[in-house]
Amino acid sequence: MNVILLGPPGAGKGTQAKRTAAAFGLKHLSSGDILRAERKAGTELGRKAQSYMDRGALVPDELVVAMMADHIARPDAAKGVLLDGFPRTRAQAEALDRELARMGNRIDLVIDLAVPDDDVAGRLTGRRSCPKCGAVYHIRFHPPKTDGMCDGGCGALVVREDDKEAVVRQRLKTYHEQTEPLIAYYREKGLLRQVDGSRSVDQVGAAVDALCRGAQ
Ligand code: ADP
Ligand code: ADP
């Protein structure tokens, strides 16, 4: 089973994807996490992506498509993938369809986490991330056990550069212009299901899991 989690930045895609992927034996592939790992490793891709990410713009389609196609084809993704943050443009969605078809595979389910802009802005500016293990917290909605420290014992949490307010506004604009049209793209294919993502993590998780069970 291959599932896409759609939704604006801060909708809770990463939070839900981590739990659901574990529950359904899917490989969680977050394009943002993979790009940040490339940056940290100082690869050519990471260097190319940097300026786009820092200003809240999208990394060019051809770079992201090649990167994600490589991860989807890996043996650890053979049981299916839970895509988080990819695709983000129509060109990426079409390339993904072609790539999966080439592998004799397809997307089974697209879940759109709907959350109003005002809510996601508050979620992003309060987000705290672990640079080591990728765990995600929120200062109010999901605080770590010890202030500013990862529960996994990794050390200090950080505020992502692009979670600062000016960049958050640009990311939401980018989302509405380039990614929101994918809702119609997948609705036309009969794959889209919408979940009210403004509820609690557990309530949203239960709705996401129910949809995944239905698609299995
Ligand atoms: P969020 O989790 O808040 O939605 P991400 O971690 O998914 O943010 O993405 C961070 C940044 O990485 C984006 O603002 C963009 O610059 C880049 N990025 C991530 N995924 C993609 C993608 N599919 N296409 C283009 N750029 C991407
Ligand atoms: P995305 O991957 O879509 O950008 P995240 O999963 O990183 O979103 O969540 C963004 C922020 O909102 C994080 O700080 C996370 O702890 C918090 N969060 C996630 N889901 C919820 C929810 N249902 N209610 C309140 N806060 C949430």
Side-chain angles (χ1 to χ4, degrees), residues 43-95:
T43 64
E44 192 187 343
L45 170 60
R47 282 198 301 278
K48 283 183 180 161
Q50 189 161 338
S51 65
Y52 299 97
M53 295 172 78
D54 287 347
R55 65 173 192 272
L58 293 183
V59 176
D61 288 335
E62 61 275 18
L63 295 179
V64 177
V65 166
M67 174 185 90
M68 294 304 284
D70 168 54
H71 280 265
I72 290 168
R74 291 184 185 183
D76 64 352
K79 284 191 184 146
V81 290
L82 183 45
L83 297 173
D84 155 15
F86 176 84
R88 249 174 162 97
T89 64
R90 192 180 170 106
Q92 290 181 17
E94 288 169 353

Coordinates of all heavy atoms in Angstrom, one line a residue, residues 43-95:
T43 N 26.1 17.4 0.9 CA 26.1 16.9 -0.5 C 25.7 18.0 -1.5 O 25.3 19.1 -1.1 CB 25.0 15.8 -0.7 OG1 23.7 16.4 -0.5 CG2 25.2 14.7 0.4
E44 N 26.0 17.7 -2.8 CA 25.7 18.7 -3.8 C 24.2 19.0 -3.8 O 23.8 20.2 -3.9 CB 26.1 18.1 -5.2 CG 26.1 19.2 -6.3 CD 26.3 18.5 -7.6 OE1 26.8 17.4 -7.7 OE2 26.0 19.2 -8.6
L45 N 23.3 18.0 -3.6 CA 21.9 18.2 -3.6 C 21.6 19.1 -2.4 O 20.8 20.1 -2.5 CB 21.2 16.9 -3.5 CG 19.7 16.9 -3.2 CD1 18.9 17.7 -4.2 CD2 19.1 15.5 -3.0
G46 N 22.2 18.9 -1.3 CA 21.9 19.7 -0.1 C 22.3 21.1 -0.3 O 21.5 22.0 0.1
R47 N 23.4 21.3 -0.9 CA 23.8 22.7 -1.2 C 22.9 23.4 -2.2 O 22.5 24.6 -2.0 CB 25.3 22.7 -1.8 CG 26.3 22.6 -0.7 CD 27.7 23.0 -1.2 NE 28.1 22.2 -2.4 CZ 28.7 21.0 -2.3 NH1 28.9 20.4 -1.2 NH2 29.1 20.4 -3.4
K48 N 22.4 22.7 -3.2 CA 21.5 23.3 -4.2 C 20.2 23.6 -3.5 O 19.5 24.6 -3.9 CB 21.2 22.3 -5.3 CG 22.4 22.2 -6.3 CD 22.0 21.3 -7.4 CE 23.2 21.1 -8.5 NZ 23.0 19.9 -9.3
A49 N 19.7 22.8 -2.6 CA 18.4 22.9 -2.0 C 18.3 24.1 -0.9 O 17.3 24.7 -0.7 CB 18.0 21.6 -1.3
Q50 N 19.5 24.4 -0.4 CA 19.6 25.3 0.8 C 18.9 26.6 0.6 O 18.0 27.0 1.4 CB 21.1 25.5 1.0 CG 21.3 26.3 2.3 CD 22.8 26.1 2.7 OE1 23.4 25.1 2.3 NE2 23.3 27.0 3.5
S51 N 19.2 27.3 -0.5 CA 18.6 28.7 -0.6 C 17.1 28.7 -0.8 O 16.4 29.6 -0.3 CB 19.3 29.4 -1.8 OG 18.9 28.8 -3.0
Y52 N 16.6 27.7 -1.5 CA 15.1 27.6 -1.6 C 14.5 27.3 -0.3 O 13.5 28.0 0.1 CB 14.8 26.4 -2.6 CG 15.3 26.5 -3.9 CD1 16.5 25.9 -4.3 CD2 14.7 27.3 -4.9 CE1 17.0 26.0 -5.6 CE2 15.2 27.5 -6.2 CZ 16.4 26.8 -6.5 OH 16.9 27.0 -7.8
M53 N 15.0 26.4 0.5 CA 14.4 26.0 1.8 C 14.4 27.2 2.7 O 13.5 27.5 3.4 CB 15.2 24.8 2.4 CG 15.0 23.6 1.6 SD 16.1 22.2 2.1 CE 15.1 21.6 3.6
D54 N 15.6 27.9 2.8 CA 15.7 29.0 3.7 C 14.7 30.1 3.5 O 14.4 30.9 4.4 CB 17.1 29.5 3.8 CG 18.1 28.5 4.4 OD1 17.5 27.6 5.1 OD2 19.3 28.7 4.3
R55 N 14.3 30.3 2.2 CA 13.3 31.4 2.0 C 11.9 30.9 1.8 O 11.0 31.7 1.4 CB 13.8 32.2 0.8 CG 13.8 31.5 -0.6 CD 14.1 32.6 -1.7 NE 13.9 32.1 -3.0 CZ 14.7 31.4 -3.7 NH1 15.9 31.1 -3.2 NH2 14.4 30.9 -4.9
G56 N 11.6 29.6 2.1 CA 10.3 29.1 2.1 C 9.7 28.8 0.7 O 8.5 28.8 0.5
A57 N 10.7 28.7 -0.3 CA 10.3 28.3 -1.7 C 10.5 26.8 -1.8 O 11.1 26.2 -1.0 CB 11.1 29.1 -2.7
L58 N 9.9 26.3 -2.9 CA 10.1 24.9 -3.2 C 11.4 24.6 -3.9 O 11.8 25.4 -4.8 CB 8.9 24.4 -4.1 CG 7.6 24.4 -3.4 CD1 6.5 23.7 -4.3 CD2 7.6 23.6 -2.1
V59 N 12.1 23.5 -3.6 CA 13.2 23.1 -4.3 C 12.8 22.6 -5.7 O 11.7 22.0 -5.8 CB 13.9 21.9 -3.5 CG1 15.1 21.3 -4.2 CG2 14.3 22.4 -2.1
P60 N 13.6 22.9 -6.7 CA 13.1 22.5 -8.1 C 12.6 21.1 -8.2 O 13.2 20.1 -7.7 CB 14.3 22.8 -9.0 CG 15.1 23.9 -8.2 CD 14.9 23.6 -6.8
D61 N 11.6 20.9 -9.0 CA 10.9 19.6 -9.2 C 11.9 18.5 -9.5 O 11.9 17.4 -9.0 CB 9.9 19.7 -10.2 CG 8.6 20.4 -9.8 OD1 8.4 20.5 -8.6 OD2 7.9 21.0 -10.7
E62 N 12.8 18.8 -10.5 CA 13.7 17.7 -11.0 C 14.6 17.1 -9.9 O 14.8 15.9 -9.9 CB 14.4 18.1 -12.3 CG 15.4 19.2 -12.1 CD 14.7 20.6 -12.3 OE1 13.5 20.7 -12.2 OE2 15.5 21.6 -12.5
L63 N 15.0 18.0 -9.0 CA 15.9 17.5 -7.9 C 15.1 16.7 -7.0 O 15.6 15.6 -6.5 CB 16.5 18.7 -7.2 CG 17.4 19.7 -7.9 CD1 17.9 20.8 -7.0 CD2 18.6 18.9 -8.4
V64 N 13.9 17.1 -6.6 CA 13.1 16.4 -5.6 C 12.6 15.1 -6.1 O 12.6 14.1 -5.4 CB 12.0 17.3 -5.1 CG1 11.1 16.6 -4.1 CG2 12.5 18.6 -4.4
V65 N 12.2 15.1 -7.4 CA 11.7 13.9 -8.0 C 12.7 12.8 -8.1 O 12.5 11.6 -7.7 CB 11.1 14.2 -9.4 CG1 10.8 12.9 -10.2 CG2 9.8 15.0 -9.3
A66 N 14.0 13.2 -8.5 CA 15.0 12.2 -8.6 C 15.4 11.6 -7.2 O 15.5 10.4 -7.0 CB 16.3 12.8 -9.2
M67 N 15.4 12.5 -6.2 CA 15.7 12.1 -4.8 C 14.7 11.1 -4.3 O 15.0 10.1 -3.7 CB 15.8 13.4 -4.0 CG 16.0 13.2 -2.5 SD 15.9 14.7 -1.6 CE 14.1 14.8 -1.2
M68 N 13.4 11.5 -4.5 CA 12.3 10.6 -3.9 C 12.2 9.3 -4.7 O 12.0 8.3 -4.1 CB 11.0 11.4 -3.9 CG 10.9 12.6 -3.0 SD 11.4 12.2 -1.3 CE 9.9 11.4 -0.7
A69 N 12.4 9.4 -6.0 CA 12.4 8.1 -6.8 C 13.4 7.1 -6.3 O 13.2 5.9 -6.2 CB 12.6 8.4 -8.3
D70 N 14.6 7.7 -6.0 CA 15.7 6.8 -5.5 C 15.2 6.1 -4.2 O 15.4 4.9 -4.0 CB 16.9 7.7 -5.3 CG 18.0 7.0 -4.5 OD1 18.3 5.8 -4.9 OD2 18.4 7.5 -3.4
H71 N 14.6 6.9 -3.3 CA 14.2 6.3 -2.0 C 13.1 5.3 -2.1 O 13.0 4.3 -1.4 CB 13.8 7.5 -1.0 CG 15.0 8.1 -0.4 ND1 15.5 7.7 0.9 CD2 15.8 9.1 -0.8 CE1 16.6 8.5 1.1 NE2 16.8 9.3 0.1
I72 N 12.1 5.6 -3.0 CA 11.0 4.7 -3.2 C 11.4 3.4 -3.8 O 10.8 2.3 -3.5 CB 9.9 5.4 -4.2 CG1 9.3 6.6 -3.4 CG2 8.8 4.4 -4.6 CD1 8.4 7.5 -4.3
A73 N 12.5 3.4 -4.6 CA 13.0 2.2 -5.2 C 13.8 1.3 -4.3 O 14.2 0.2 -4.6 CB 13.8 2.5 -6.5
R74 N 14.2 1.8 -3.1 CA 15.0 1.1 -2.2 C 14.3 -0.2 -1.6 O 13.1 -0.1 -1.4 CB 15.6 2.0 -1.1 CG 16.5 3.0 -1.6 CD 17.1 3.9 -0.5 NE 17.9 4.9 -1.0 CZ 18.6 5.8 -0.3 NH1 18.6 5.7 1.0 NH2 19.3 6.8 -0.9
P75 N 15.1 -1.2 -1.3 CA 14.4 -2.4 -0.7 C 13.6 -2.2 0.5 O 12.6 -2.8 0.8 CB 15.6 -3.3 -0.4 CG 16.8 -2.8 -1.2 CD 16.5 -1.4 -1.5
D76 N 14.0 -1.2 1.4 CA 13.3 -1.0 2.6 C 12.0 -0.3 2.4 O 11.2 -0.2 3.4 CB 14.2 -0.2 3.7 CG 14.5 1.2 3.2 OD1 14.2 1.5 2.0 OD2 15.0 2.0 4.0
A77 N 11.7 0.0 1.1 CA 10.4 0.6 0.8 C 9.5 -0.3 0.1 O 8.4 0.0 -0.3 CB 10.6 1.9 0.0
A78 N 9.9 -1.6 0.0 CA 9.2 -2.5 -0.9 C 7.8 -2.9 -0.4 O 6.9 -3.2 -1.2 CB 10.0 -3.8 -1.0
K79 N 7.6 -2.8 0.9 CA 6.2 -3.1 1.4 C 5.2 -1.9 1.3 O 4.1 -2.0 1.6 CB 6.3 -3.4 2.9 CG 6.9 -4.8 3.1 CD 6.7 -5.2 4.6 CE 7.3 -6.6 4.8 NZ 7.9 -6.7 6.2
G80 N 5.7 -0.8 0.8 CA 4.9 0.4 0.6 C 5.4 1.6 1.3 O 6.3 1.5 2.2
V81 N 5.0 2.8 0.9 CA 5.5 4.0 1.4 C 4.4 4.9 2.0 O 3.3 4.8 1.5 CB 6.3 4.8 0.4 CG1 7.6 4.1 0.0 CG2 5.5 5.1 -0.9
L82 N 4.8 5.7 2.9 CA 3.9 6.7 3.4 C 4.6 8.0 3.1 O 5.7 8.4 3.7 CB 3.7 6.6 4.9 CG 2.7 7.6 5.6 CD1 1.4 7.7 4.8 CD2 2.4 7.1 7.0
L83 N 4.1 8.7 2.1 CA 4.8 9.9 1.6 C 4.4 11.2 2.4 O 3.1 11.4 2.5 CB 4.6 10.1 0.1 CG 5.2 9.0 -0.8 CD1 4.7 9.2 -2.2 CD2 6.7 8.9 -0.7
D84 N 5.3 11.9 2.9 CA 5.0 13.1 3.7 C 5.8 14.3 3.2 O 7.0 14.3 3.2 CB 5.4 12.7 5.1 CG 5.8 13.9 6.1 OD1 5.4 15.0 5.7 OD2 6.4 13.6 7.1
G85 N 5.0 15.3 2.6 CA 5.7 16.4 2.0 C 6.0 16.3 0.5 O 6.6 17.2 -0.1
F86 N 5.7 15.2 -0.1 CA 5.9 14.9 -1.5 C 4.8 14.1 -2.0 O 4.4 13.1 -1.3 CB 7.2 14.1 -1.7 CG 7.5 13.7 -3.1 CD1 8.1 14.6 -4.0 CD2 7.1 12.4 -3.6 CE1 8.3 14.2 -5.3 CE2 7.3 12.1 -4.9 CZ 7.9 12.9 -5.8
P87 N 4.2 14.4 -3.1 CA 4.5 15.5 -4.0 C 3.9 16.8 -3.5 O 3.0 16.9 -2.7 CB 3.8 15.1 -5.3 CG 2.6 14.3 -4.9 CD 3.1 13.5 -3.6
R88 N 4.5 17.9 -4.0 CA 4.1 19.3 -3.6 C 3.7 20.1 -4.8 O 3.3 21.3 -4.6 CB 5.3 19.9 -2.9 CG 5.0 20.1 -1.4 CD 6.4 20.7 -0.8 NE 6.3 21.3 0.4 CZ 6.6 20.7 1.6 NH1 6.8 19.4 1.6 NH2 6.6 21.4 2.7
T89 N 3.9 19.6 -6.0 CA 3.4 20.3 -7.2 C 2.8 19.3 -8.1 O 3.0 18.1 -8.0 CB 4.6 21.0 -8.0 OG1 5.5 19.9 -8.5 CG2 5.4 21.9 -7.1
R90 N 2.0 19.8 -9.1 CA 1.4 18.9 -10.1 C 2.5 18.1 -10.9 O 2.3 16.9 -11.1 CB 0.5 19.8 -11.0 CG -0.4 18.9 -11.9 CD -1.2 19.6 -12.8 NE -1.9 18.7 -13.7 CZ -3.1 18.3 -13.6 NH1 -3.9 18.8 -12.7 NH2 -3.6 17.3 -14.4
A91 N 3.5 18.8 -11.2 CA 4.6 18.2 -12.0 C 5.2 17.0 -11.1 O 5.5 15.9 -11.7 CB 5.7 19.1 -12.4
Q92 N 5.3 17.2 -9.8 CA 5.9 16.1 -9.0 C 4.9 15.0 -8.9 O 5.2 13.8 -8.9 CB 6.1 16.7 -7.6 CG 7.3 17.6 -7.5 CD 7.6 18.1 -6.0 OE1 7.1 17.5 -5.1 NE2 8.4 19.1 -5.9
A93 N 3.6 15.3 -8.8 CA 2.5 14.3 -8.7 C 2.5 13.4 -10.0 O 2.4 12.2 -10.0 CB 1.2 14.9 -8.5
E94 N 2.6 14.1 -11.2 CA 2.6 13.3 -12.4 C 3.9 12.5 -12.5 O 3.8 11.3 -13.0 CB 2.5 14.3 -13.6 CG 1.1 15.0 -13.7 CD 1.0 16.1 -14.6 OE1 2.1 16.6 -15.1 OE2 -0.1 16.6 -14.8
A95 N 5.0 13.0 -12.1 CA 6.3 12.3 -12.2 C 6.2 11.0 -11.2 O 6.7 9.9 -11.6 CB 7.5 13.1 -11.8

